[in-house]
Amino acid sequence: MKQPTDFIEAKNISVSFSQHEIFSNLSFKIFDDDFFCLIGKNGIGKTTLVKTILGQLHKTNGEIIFSKKFKSSLSFGYVPQFRNIDQDYPLSIRNFVSLRLFQPLVPWFSKKEKDIVDTALKRVGIFDIASRKLGSASGGEKQKAYLAQAILYDPQLLILDESTASLDTVSKFDVMDAVKNLNDKYGTTVIFISHDIPLVEKYGKHSLELKGDGKYSYKKIN
């Protein structure tokens, strides 16, 4: 069996705000092609930890080591929690996904740009409904549109921040199946922030549970 290689390693990291310690001496690894699940109650510091990993927040102590494979800001995509979109939202799914394209100085897209969008739509399974207005799409279809937008430039790391929290059960598994396909078929490393233990147990490869008071649990799932 192929030995997993490190993608991100955290060594004894600590973060504090106004003398309030969020977490301390936290150590774990995220492997290349990992499906890494970050769990814990609200306010425990899950999103803070991800921002710290990405260098958006300053850590108090410790070290975060990235693989040389992780090269630039385009190397990660981010899918937020479900966002309400009005039914009369005018953009189609395709045009919404296209918003993340680097805009040229001309008001049309090149063939290369169209191909980039088509590839993302196909990978998450919404190419056939790409002309549908985003406002009239189901909750799961909207989340897949956000997912397609996040993977537009084929990121090495995909971060899902409670992105299935407001979906019904069928839609949750549909969206997560699309994420698993990205992980399995295209080698996208995933960080999944969630409270949903059944989803974590079904899709995750490793988990880190923040428990507060400096305690945490890191383990292999599948």
Side-chain angles (χ1 to χ4, degrees), residues 3 28 31 49 51 55 70 79 154 156 159 168 184 220:
Q3 195 70 14
F28 59 90
F31 297 101
L49 176 56
K51 289 181 177 180
F70 195 81
V79 184
D154 197 18
Q156 297 164 322
I159 301 164
D168 61 58
D184 290 344
K220 187 177 187 298

Side-chain angles (χ1 to χ4, degrees), residues 140-176:
E141 290 166 348
K142 287 172 180 163
Q143 281 303 93
K144 282 188 173 183
Y146 304 145
L147 180 58
Q149 194 179 69
I151 66 164
L152 208 55
Y153 291 102
D154 197 18
Q156 297 164 322
L157 177 64
L158 177 64
I159 301 164
L160 308 174
D161 192 352
E162 302 277 9
S163 53
T164 60
S166 299
L167 301 179
D168 61 58
T169 301
V170 172
S171 296
K172 283 181 182 181
F173 284 101
D174 189 34
V175 170
M176 292 302 292

